Amino acid sequence: MTATALSVRNIRKSFGEDEVLKGISFDAHSGDVISIIGSSGSGKSTLLRCINFLERADSGEVAVAGEIIKTHKAKDGQLSPSDKHQLKQMRARLGMVFQNFNLWAHRTVLENIIEGPVQVLKHPKKKAVADAEILMDKVGISQKRNHYPSQLSGGQQQRVAIARALAMQPTVMLFDEPTSALDPELVNEVVQVIRQLATEKRTMIMVTHEMALAREISTHLIFLHNGRIEEQGPPQLIMENPKSDRLRQFIGKF
Amino acid sequence: MMDFFNNVFSWLPELLAATPLTLILTLVAGIFGLVFGTLLALARLSNILILSVPANMFMFVMRGTPLLVQLYLIYYGLGQILPGTWVRHSVLWPYLRDGFTYAVIALSMNQAAYNGEVLRGALRSIPKGQIEASMAMGMTNLQILQRVRLPLAFRDCLPVLTSDIIILLKSTALVSTITVLELMGTARMIQRESLQIYEPLIACGLVYFAVVMVLTNIMRPVESRLTRFRKGNA
Amino acid sequence: MVIHTYIEYMGWGAGGWGDEFFFGFLMTLKISLSAYALAVIFGFFATTAKLSKNIFLRFMAVSYTTVVRALPEILMVLIVYFTVAGLAETALVKAGFVDKGFQFNPFWAAVFALAFVAGAFMAEVLRAARLAVPEGQIESATAIGMSSLQIFMRVILPQMMRHAIPGMGNLWLSITKDSAIVAVLGAFSELLYTGYRAAAATKEYVFFYGVTAVLFLLITLISIAVIQWMERHLNRGYA
Ligand SMILES: Nc1ncnc2c1ncn2[C@@H]1O[C@H](COP(=O)(O)OP(=O)(O)OP(=O)(O)O)[C@@H](O)[C@H]1O
Ligand SMILES: [Mg+2]
């Protein structure tokens, strides 16, 4: 039995009248790669964003490596983090990779990568740079270390964003459709990097439309529909034998 | 407190009576400013140096110095020079003793410089293709200017031109310093005569605010009508 | 002969107006710089209030910027000048810091008045600049656990400044010109009031208002050079 890296309990979230997440629970053990699939608007991004509190859920619980993020009900009915300091630590342990990269435009590749370690983890700059070298090598972006994001292709930017998240030495990596903003010919270079992370047994939660990738690297697949987990299990099993019509339809589209 | 507001309201009729003069100043200087501004923009863009260099300098000086200084220079300066010239004995003289004339001259010149700068930018940014298309069908330069370049440029900078009108309206308050009794001048006169410091100014502020809000809301539909061709391909 | 007179007019000391203009020039710069610095502070608070979640703060900030931007500068300056000078005097006398009959330093009242006006425009410039920073970059900073202060100082501010520089530059140019309005108060000798006194004393209106205009133009020219340099400097590294 491996340790639970991330535990999500009963997350609910509404936007106005619209209940987008209707009680989501799952666990990720150390080394798990969980892919979350589902049609557009099914709440995948919202779920990821609720996990690191970029979005406030209405209720539920998130624990990283066994430590529950402390919350209380705020006046507006949403779940608010009670301990700012703890939240910062927790966020530092959840590496997030966004669909649109969200690199800081005024910082070079290297500066983007060392920003978190230096500012949040308070690593000495020298160590942060040394660590960054290794990561830049790993994602194949070393030659571009002094470039600004606007001078990079989408694929290169996303690889930098992955390196930036990895630099925090996170317990869990969260990916929100990391390849869907990319031109088709650039998808592969990013997929390569993610594939490599999977082989290193990194714990990852990945929202994706890349069914082939999900099938290849995931240990567990979650199909989200209308704010609920409609079906989940080992990817091969689920994809070859979908129980629900909806999943069958969804897979049929690919 | 009640007294204060009663005082404020008691000045409104007198101030409202002065409002037409503020509007006339705005309108007249606005029209002159637009006409001269267009000429300035064209002069500035022309290849003829004796047109473009003076136009450039004029615009730079007018935009680089305070309107108040320009007002004083024109009002006191012309007042110093003109009496010694033929103008002294011409039919124009009665008008030239009035601050209003100088106010219009200064405001128009200032407005022309700002409008000219905006229009120059708009004229320059017209896509080459549209001008080439006009040339290709044999339009003359004047035709291209009238039918293509100017209409496009005006529509392009309409939002700036309309907000410049509001700025002009606010600038007319400065002419109160050269004895013109428009809104601001009237308020300051009341201030002196009644020995109330705040009330006339607050009342004056209420009137300006109302005028600016009305004007802004009149211009908005005009603006969106003239720029409707842009919608949909934005 | 005539040229000779003009040189005398601009002489230093009792006979000429050269020294007065020199100090008037410095005074205009001093008023403008002080008012500008204060306007940045006003603008910053107004922007923060405008973008805040608190309805009351938002309402106050929107009222401030809407009203101030709708009224003539000269009117606002007069209102604020009299109010600030009056209220500050009363307050200081009441608090016992100063004796009865004390007069508030007109310099600071004028600076405050100019800054109050410019602050409303500054707020718009800063707000637009703040909104030009992509939300995603703020999220990615939040996601790695940066604090609000860190996010502001390291992500928002540097990028905001790049967007704000052109607007802030224009505001500087207009504050130097608007500073001429305080001549109307007649309380201290900046450039225009100096010109006014010189012209009135000598009846050489064209010459002295001409000198005044040239000096204002000089301020504009220097400012433009500085602003362009700053723009180039801040845009380094951007495609
Ligand atoms: N900030 C918000 N305010 C209101 N509604 C929102 C907000 N964010 C998301 N939603 C709504 O919540 C629902 C789920 O959105 P979400 O972005 O999580 O979907 P998704 O599964 O990630 O879709 P996609 O595959 O298109 O990214 C959608 O109906 C969306 O319109
Ligand atoms: Mg999404």
Side-chain angles (χ1 to χ4, degrees):
Chain A
M1 185 75 199
T2 45
T4 311
L6 176 72
S7 161
V8 174
R9 283 284 159 274
N10 219 4
I11 298 275
R12 289 176 177 274
K13 172 71 184 168
S14 304
F15 289 112
E17 296 291 283
D18 185 16
E19 192 168 30
V20 175
L21 298 176
K22 300 171 181 161
I24 305 282
S25 305
F26 67 88
D27 284 330
H29 298 282
S30 183
D32 278 358
V33 177
I34 300 184
S35 290
I36 302 176
I37 58 172
S39 53
S40 185
S42 57
K44 305 181 298 290
S45 299
T46 308
L47 175 58
L48 275 197
R49 295 164 59 81
C50 282
I51 290 175
N52 65 359
F53 284 77
L54 283 179
E55 202 81 72
R56 307 227 156 132
D58 299 328
S59 62
E61 201 174 87
V62 176
V64 182
E67 185 177 345
I68 296 173
I69 300 182
K70 295 183 201 129
T71 57
H72 63 273
K73 263 285 203 234
K75 267 184 259 154
D76 55 7
Q78 290 175 345
L79 213 53
S80 276
S82 311
D83 182 347
K84 267 192 169 173
H85 183 68
Q86 187 212 22
L87 178 71
K88 273 201 303 186
Q89 284 184 334
M90 290 299 174
R91 278 179 168 158
R93 291 158 78 172
L94 296 166
M96 177 98 167
V97 176
F98 298 84
Q99 187 171 349
N100 299 312
F101 333 131
N102 293 345
L103 293 178
W104 298 304
H106 60 309
R107 305 230 187 269
T108 62
V109 166
L110 179 65
E111 287 166 352
N112 260 281
I113 297 174
I114 64 173
E115 180 78 4
V118 172
Q119 295 298 323
V120 179
L121 302 179
K122 309 287 179 202
H123 288 175
K125 191 164 172 200
K126 237 177 157 169
K127 170 175 160 51
V129 171
D131 293 345
E133 306 276 1
I134 299 169
L135 289 169
M136 286 189 292
D137 246 5
K138 181 181 193 121
V139 301
I141 202 80
S142 296
Q143 299 88 359
K144 304 278 181 188
R145 51 186 298 158
N146 292 323
H147 285 51
Y148 285 90
S150 62
Q151 300 164 325
L152 302 179
S153 74
Q156 290 168 334
Q157 288 189 54
Q158 192 61 299
R159 283 183 282 144
V160 175
I162 293 173
R164 178 175 71 174
L166 288 172
M168 298 296 287
Q169 295 161 331
T171 313
V172 181
M173 290 280 283
L174 308 174
F175 292 85
D176 188 2
E177 300 192 34
T179 57
S180 58
L182 300 178
D183 292 338
E185 71 270 21
L186 300 178
V187 168
N188 204 35
E189 59 188 64
V190 173
V191 164
Q192 290 284 356
V193 172
I194 296 174
R195 191 180 278 136
Q196 195 197 337
L197 295 179
T199 57
E200 291 169 8
K201 294 267 176 239
R202 277 189 183 271
T203 318
M204 306 198 277
I205 315 290
M206 177 170 68
V207 170
T208 186
H209 284 295
E210 298 287 320
M211 299 304 264
L213 178 69
R215 184 179 178 139
E216 174 195 334
I217 68 171
S218 329
T219 54
H220 194 83
L221 196 68
I222 290 180
F223 174 58
L224 220 55
H225 183 77
N226 270 343
R228 289 210 170 79
I229 295 183
E230 180 94 4
E231 222 170 309
Q232 58 179 323
Q236 277 82 357
L237 197 71
I238 287 212
M239 282 181 164
E240 275 153 32
N241 274 315
K243 288 198 207 82
S244 67
D245 293 342
R246 299 214 183 79
L247 180 54
R248 201 166 304 130
Q249 270 173 9
F250 183 76
I251 291 173
K253 278 191 233 151
F254 289 88
Chain B
M1 201 63 188
M2 234 26 243
D3 271 1
F4 181 84
F5 285 110
N6 281 335
N7 284 338
V8 168
F9 290 125
S10 73
W11 300 123
L12 284 180
E14 209 170 326
L15 289 169
L16 284 173
T19 310
L21 188 54
T22 288
L23 293 175
I24 289 171
L25 277 167
T26 309
L27 185 72
V28 175
I31 291 171
F32 280 142
L34 193 59
V35 173
F36 290 127
T38 310
L39 295 177
L40 274 176
L42 292 173
R44 172 93 199 258
L45 289 174
S46 89
N47 297 325
I48 308 164
L49 283 185
I50 43 169
L51 288 181
S52 66
V53 172
N56 200 353
M57 285 200 18
F58 176 81
M59 280 158 65
F60 186 74
V61 170
M62 295 308 279
R63 290 172 359 105
T65 54
L67 176 55
L68 206 49
V69 174
Q70 295 160 20
L71 266 174
Y72 285 9
L73 191 55
I74 288 170
Y75 179 70
Y76 294 111
L78 286 183
Q80 175 195 353
I81 294 174
L82 288 182
T85 65
W86 59 271
V87 180
R88 176 74 180 85
H89 306 287
S90 73
V91 288
L92 290 173
W93 185 241
Y95 299 101
L96 289 175
R97 288 167 52 194
D98 185 9
F100 179 84
T101 313
Y102 299 100
V104 168
I105 296 174
L107 287 172
S108 303
M109 281 172 40
N110 193 265
Q111 187 72 357
Y114 280 93
N115 283 346
E117 180 69 19
V118 174
L119 281 166
R120 180 187 70 99
L123 280 167
R124 265 193 7 180
S125 63
I126 294 173
K128 255 212 166 75
Q130 297 188 29
I131 294 169
E132 280 171 2
S134 324
M135 292 200 283
M137 64 175 57
M139 286 167 98
T140 65
N141 279 340
L142 189 62
Q143 278 176 322
I144 296 177
L145 186 66
Q146 278 180 352
R147 316 243 8 118
V148 182
R149 291 175 62 199
L150 284 180
L152 276 173
F154 276 120
R155 282 173 168 76
D156 195 39
C157 57
L158 202 64
V160 186
L161 290 178
T162 52
S163 71
D164 275 356
I165 289 284
I166 301 288
I167 294 176
L168 172 62
L169 175 88
K170 296 197 294 166
S171 301
T172 60
L174 291 176
V175 310
S176 63
T177 58
I178 57 167
T179 71
V180 181
L181 287 178
E182 38 63 76
L183 247 176
M184 189 71 218
T186 308
R188 299 191 69 197
M189 188 188 71
I190 298 173
Q191 212 186 6
R192 277 191 301 274
E193 289 177 356
S194 69
L195 297 179
Q196 295 177 7
I197 297 181
Y198 302 109
E199 293 87 336
L201 293 182
I202 303 283
C204 176
L206 289 177
V207 179
Y208 271 114
F209 190 76
V211 172
V212 166
M213 287 299 137
V214 169
L215 220 58
T216 315
N217 283 303
I218 292 176
M219 289 190 302
R220 197 169 295 143
V222 177
E223 207 177 281
S224 65
R225 198 178 155 70
L226 283 174
T227 51
R228 61 177 184 269
F229 68 97
R230 248 190 253 148
K231 307 219 168 80
N233 61 358
Chain C
M1 175 58 210
V2 176
I3 302 274
H4 181 73
T5 333
Y6 287 143
I7 291 176
E8 245 167 45
Y9 276 151
M10 291 311 287
W12 207 267
W17 290 90
D19 48 343
E20 276 88 348
F21 271 103
F22 177 75
F23 290 114
F25 184 83
L26 291 187
M27 180 57 102
T28 287
L29 283 182
K30 199 170 135 193
I31 295 174
S32 304
L33 280 170
S34 319
Y36 191 73
L38 198 55
V40 173
I41 297 174
F42 285 166
F44 178 78
F45 280 115
T47 315
T48 313
K50 263 194 172 184
L51 296 172
S52 92
K53 291 196 189 96
N54 187 315
I55 290 188
F56 176 72
L57 284 180
R58 268 206 320 259
F59 174 78
M60 294 294 291
V62 170
S63 310
Y64 165 57
T65 54
T66 316
V67 170
V68 170
R69 293 188 312 143
L71 299 185
E73 281 81 0
I74 184 171
L75 174 63
M76 277 312 300
V77 167
L78 288 176
I79 293 177
V80 178
Y81 181 79
F82 288 131
T83 315
V84 170
L87 292 184
E89 273 162 30
T90 328
L92 288 176
V93 170
K94 270 199 181 140
F97 287 129
V98 292
D99 294 330
K100 240 190 159 72
F102 160 86
Q103 285 232 316
F104 195 68
N105 182 346
F107 174 81
W108 286 108
V111 162
F112 187 89
L114 282 173
F116 191 77
V117 176
F121 292 89
M122 187 68 76
E124 293 306 299
V125 169
L126 293 179
R127 196 177 74 100
R130 168 65 186 76
L131 294 178
V133 180
E135 212 47 41
Q137 293 187 29
I138 296 162
E139 282 196 340
S140 59
T142 312
I144 61 168
M146 283 167 94
S147 68
S148 313
L149 185 66
Q150 279 176 323
I151 295 176
F152 182 77
M153 295 304 293
R154 305 195 53 89
V155 179
I156 296 176
L157 196 59
Q159 302 204 67
M160 221 178 118
M161 287 326 285
R162 220 167 52 82
H163 293 287
I165 283 288
M168 287 179 74
N170 283 337
L171 266 180
W172 163 254
L173 292 174
S174 53
I175 221 170
T176 57
K177 287 182 280 168
D178 282 347
S179 75
I181 289 174
V182 306
V184 174
L185 304 169
F188 44 95
S189 296
E190 42 67 72
L191 259 181
L192 181 54
Y193 194 60
T194 305
Y196 180 86
R197 286 189 317 160
T202 58
K203 304 285 173 235
E204 291 284 359
Y205 298 102
V206 179
F207 176 71
F208 280 115
Y209 285 127
V211 169
T212 309
V214 167
L215 290 175
F216 270 109
L217 209 54
L218 188 64
I219 295 182
T220 301
L221 275 168
I222 297 171
S223 304
I224 289 178
V226 172
I227 293 168
Q228 281 178 350
W229 177 81
M230 283 173 69
E231 273 178 29
R232 266 203 308 278
H233 190 75
L234 270 169
N235 277 324
R236 275 183 323 185
Y238 283 88

Coordinates of all heavy atoms in Angstrom, one line a residue, chain C residues 18-45:
Chain C
G18 N 15.2 88.1 -15.4 CA 15.8 86.8 -15.6 C 15.8 85.9 -14.4 O 15.4 84.8 -14.5
D19 N 16.2 86.5 -13.3 CA 16.2 85.7 -12.1 C 14.8 85.2 -11.7 O 14.5 84.1 -11.3 CB 16.9 86.4 -10.9 CG 16.4 87.8 -10.8 OD1 15.8 88.3 -11.7 OD2 16.6 88.4 -9.7
E20 N 13.8 86.2 -11.9 CA 12.4 85.8 -11.5 C 12.0 84.6 -12.4 O 11.3 83.7 -11.9 CB 11.5 87.0 -11.8 CG 11.4 87.9 -10.6 CD 12.4 89.0 -10.7 OE1 13.4 88.9 -11.5 OE2 12.4 90.0 -9.9
F21 N 12.3 84.7 -13.7 CA 11.9 83.6 -14.6 C 12.6 82.3 -14.2 O 12.0 81.2 -14.2 CB 12.1 83.9 -16.0 CG 11.0 84.6 -16.7 CD1 11.0 86.0 -16.9 CD2 9.8 83.9 -17.0 CE1 9.9 86.7 -17.4 CE2 8.7 84.6 -17.6 CZ 8.8 85.9 -17.8
F22 N 13.8 82.4 -13.8 CA 14.6 81.2 -13.5 C 13.9 80.5 -12.3 O 13.7 79.3 -12.3 CB 16.0 81.6 -13.1 CG 16.8 80.4 -12.6 CD1 17.3 79.5 -13.5 CD2 17.2 80.3 -11.3 CE1 18.0 78.4 -13.1 CE2 17.9 79.2 -10.8 CZ 18.3 78.3 -11.7
F23 N 13.6 81.3 -11.3 CA 12.9 80.7 -10.1 C 11.5 80.3 -10.4 O 11.0 79.3 -9.8 CB 13.0 81.7 -8.9 CG 14.4 81.8 -8.4 CD1 15.1 83.0 -8.5 CD2 15.1 80.7 -7.9 CE1 16.4 83.2 -8.0 CE2 16.4 80.9 -7.4 CZ 17.1 82.1 -7.5
G24 N 10.9 81.0 -11.3 CA 9.5 80.6 -11.7 C 9.6 79.3 -12.4 O 8.7 78.4 -12.1
F25 N 10.6 79.1 -13.2 CA 10.8 77.8 -13.9 C 11.0 76.7 -12.9 O 10.3 75.6 -12.9 CB 12.0 77.9 -14.8 CG 12.3 76.7 -15.6 CD1 11.7 76.6 -16.9 CD2 13.2 75.8 -15.2 CE1 12.0 75.5 -17.7 CE2 13.5 74.7 -16.1 CZ 12.9 74.6 -17.3
L26 N 11.8 76.9 -11.9 CA 12.0 75.9 -10.8 C 10.8 75.7 -10.1 O 10.4 74.5 -9.7 CB 13.1 76.4 -9.9 CG 14.6 76.4 -10.5 CD1 15.6 76.7 -9.3 CD2 14.9 75.1 -11.1
M27 N 10.0 76.8 -9.8 CA 8.8 76.6 -9.0 C 7.8 75.8 -9.8 O 7.1 74.9 -9.2 CB 8.2 78.0 -8.7 CG 6.9 78.0 -7.9 SD 7.1 77.1 -6.4 CE 7.2 78.4 -5.2
T28 N 7.7 76.0 -11.1 CA 6.7 75.2 -11.9 C 7.2 73.7 -11.9 O 6.3 72.8 -11.7 CB 6.7 75.7 -13.4 OG1 6.0 76.9 -13.4 CG2 6.1 74.7 -14.3
L29 N 8.5 73.5 -12.0 CA 8.9 72.1 -11.9 C 8.6 71.5 -10.5 O 8.2 70.3 -10.4 CB 10.4 72.0 -12.1 CG 10.9 72.1 -13.6 CD1 12.4 72.0 -13.7 CD2 10.2 71.0 -14.4
K30 N 8.8 72.3 -9.5 CA 8.6 71.8 -8.1 C 7.1 71.5 -7.9 O 6.8 70.4 -7.4 CB 9.0 72.9 -7.1 CG 9.3 72.4 -5.7 CD 10.0 73.5 -4.9 CE 9.4 73.6 -3.5 NZ 9.7 74.8 -2.8
I31 N 6.2 72.4 -8.3 CA 4.8 72.1 -8.2 C 4.4 70.9 -9.0 O 3.7 70.0 -8.5 CB 4.0 73.3 -8.8 CG1 4.2 74.6 -8.0 CG2 2.5 73.0 -8.8 CD1 3.5 75.8 -8.6
S32 N 4.9 70.8 -10.2 CA 4.5 69.7 -11.1 C 5.0 68.3 -10.5 O 4.2 67.4 -10.4 CB 5.1 69.8 -12.5 OG 4.7 71.1 -13.0
L33 N 6.3 68.3 -10.0 CA 6.8 67.1 -9.5 C 6.0 66.7 -8.2 O 5.7 65.5 -8.1 CB 8.3 67.2 -9.2 CG 9.2 67.1 -10.4 CD1 10.6 67.5 -9.9 CD2 9.3 65.7 -10.9
S34 N 5.8 67.6 -7.4 CA 5.1 67.3 -6.1 C 3.7 66.8 -6.4 O 3.2 65.8 -5.9 CB 5.0 68.4 -5.2 OG 6.2 69.2 -5.2
A35 N 3.0 67.5 -7.3 CA 1.6 67.2 -7.6 C 1.6 65.8 -8.3 O 0.7 65.0 -8.1 CB 1.0 68.2 -8.5
Y36 N 2.6 65.6 -9.1 CA 2.6 64.3 -9.9 C 2.8 63.1 -8.9 O 2.1 62.1 -9.0 CB 3.7 64.3 -10.9 CG 3.7 63.2 -11.9 CD1 2.7 63.2 -12.9 CD2 4.6 62.1 -11.8 CE1 2.7 62.1 -13.8 CE2 4.5 61.1 -12.7 CZ 3.6 61.1 -13.7 OH 3.5 60.1 -14.6
A37 N 3.7 63.3 -8.0 CA 4.0 62.2 -7.0 C 2.7 61.9 -6.2 O 2.3 60.7 -6.0 CB 5.1 62.6 -6.1
L38 N 2.1 63.0 -5.8 CA 0.8 62.8 -5.0 C -0.3 62.2 -5.9 O -1.1 61.4 -5.4 CB 0.4 64.2 -4.5 CG -0.6 64.2 -3.3 CD1 0.0 63.4 -2.1 CD2 -0.8 65.7 -2.9
A39 N -0.3 62.6 -7.1 CA -1.3 62.1 -8.0 C -1.2 60.6 -8.2 O -2.2 59.8 -8.4 CB -1.3 62.8 -9.4
V40 N 0.1 60.1 -8.3 CA 0.3 58.7 -8.4 C -0.3 57.9 -7.2 O -0.9 56.9 -7.3 CB 1.8 58.3 -8.5 CG1 2.1 56.8 -8.5 CG2 2.4 58.9 -9.8
I41 N -0.1 58.5 -6.0 CA -0.7 57.9 -4.8 C -2.2 57.9 -4.8 O -2.8 56.9 -4.6 CB -0.2 58.7 -3.6 CG1 1.4 58.6 -3.5 CG2 -0.8 58.1 -2.3 CD1 2.0 59.4 -2.4
F42 N -2.8 59.1 -5.2 CA -4.2 59.2 -5.3 C -4.7 58.1 -6.3 O -5.7 57.4 -6.1 CB -4.7 60.6 -5.8 CG -4.6 61.6 -4.7 CD1 -4.7 63.0 -5.0 CD2 -4.5 61.3 -3.4 CE1 -4.6 63.9 -4.1 CE2 -4.4 62.2 -2.4 CZ -4.5 63.6 -2.7
G43 N -4.1 58.1 -7.5 CA -4.5 57.2 -8.5 C -4.4 55.8 -8.1 O -5.3 55.0 -8.4
F44 N -3.3 55.5 -7.4 CA -3.1 54.1 -7.0 C -4.3 53.7 -6.0 O -4.9 52.6 -6.2 CB -1.8 54.0 -6.3 CG -1.5 52.6 -5.7 CD1 -1.1 51.6 -6.6 CD2 -1.7 52.3 -4.4 CE1 -0.9 50.3 -6.1 CE2 -1.5 51.0 -3.9 CZ -1.1 50.0 -4.8
F45 N -4.6 54.5 -5.1 CA -5.7 54.2 -4.1 C -7.0 54.1 -4.9 O -7.8 53.2 -4.6 CB -5.7 55.2 -3.0 CG -4.7 54.9 -1.9 CD1 -3.7 55.8 -1.7 CD2 -4.7 53.7 -1.2 CE1 -2.7 55.5 -0.7 CE2 -3.8 53.5 -0.2 CZ -2.8 54.4 0.0

